[in-house]
Amino acid sequence: MKKPTPNPPETDAIPDANSTSPYASVDTRKLHEAADRALDFYLKPSTAIMSAPYIPNQMFLVNPKADTESLLANASESLASATVMLGDFAALLGGTHRKTLLGIAQVVMLGELAVNRALDNVDPAA
């Protein structure tokens, strides 16, 4: 099928320097500066965020007088309970959701193994 009008002629004309178009003249220095500003804005964290000290929530604090063995034993029991809960919940699901929960359960079990090893290192006689 033929077009009713021909293509406009190709020209190598330089755009008018007095044009109001922002693309009339390309200033690469300005483009690089604009790109750097945009990247800095999105990729460099502001110092105000990083300089604020972390203040833990006072609602859930562990007793600072608790000994390491007790803390590790409690963490081990909590992780064991989480593993059981994830396994029970995964049994109710199917497909990809089940696989996701079983993967999370495996990560929790690995944490439990690490805590149990640390507990063994604290009290090897037990």
Side-chain angles (χ1 to χ4, degrees):
M1 181 171 170
K2 292 191 174 193
K3 293 186 346 181
T5 58
N7 289 335
E10 295 181 14
T11 61
D12 292 335
I14 299 172
D16 183 14
N18 295 329
S19 172
T20 58
S21 170
Y23 306 107
S25 66
V26 177
D27 185 0
T28 58
R29 184 180 51 78
K30 286 184 180 179
L31 290 175
H32 285 292
E33 288 174 359
D36 286 341
R37 281 194 310 272
L39 289 172
D40 289 346
F41 178 79
Y42 287 106
L43 298 179
K44 287 187 178 178
S46 69
T47 55
I49 292 174
M50 302 306 284
S51 65
Y54 175 72
I55 300 170
N57 188 345
Q58 298 295 321
M59 185 179 292
F60 302 107
L61 288 179
V62 176
N63 183 359
K65 295 179 183 177
D67 61 308
T68 305
E69 184 180 358
S70 298
L71 294 171
L72 287 171
N74 189 295
S76 176
E77 291 173 8
S78 295
L79 289 169
S81 297
T83 301
V84 171
M85 288 186 286
L86 285 166
D88 290 346
F89 189 48
L92 300 174
L93 298 175
T96 59
H97 296 294
R98 175 183 167 83
K99 291 179 182 179
T100 301
L101 274 180
L102 290 174
I104 294 170
Q106 186 175 12
V107 171
V108 171
M109 281 191 277
L110 291 172
E112 182 184 358
L113 287 172
V115 168
N116 286 338
R117 174 63 66 189
L119 189 56
D120 290 342
N121 291 342
V122 169
D123 189 17

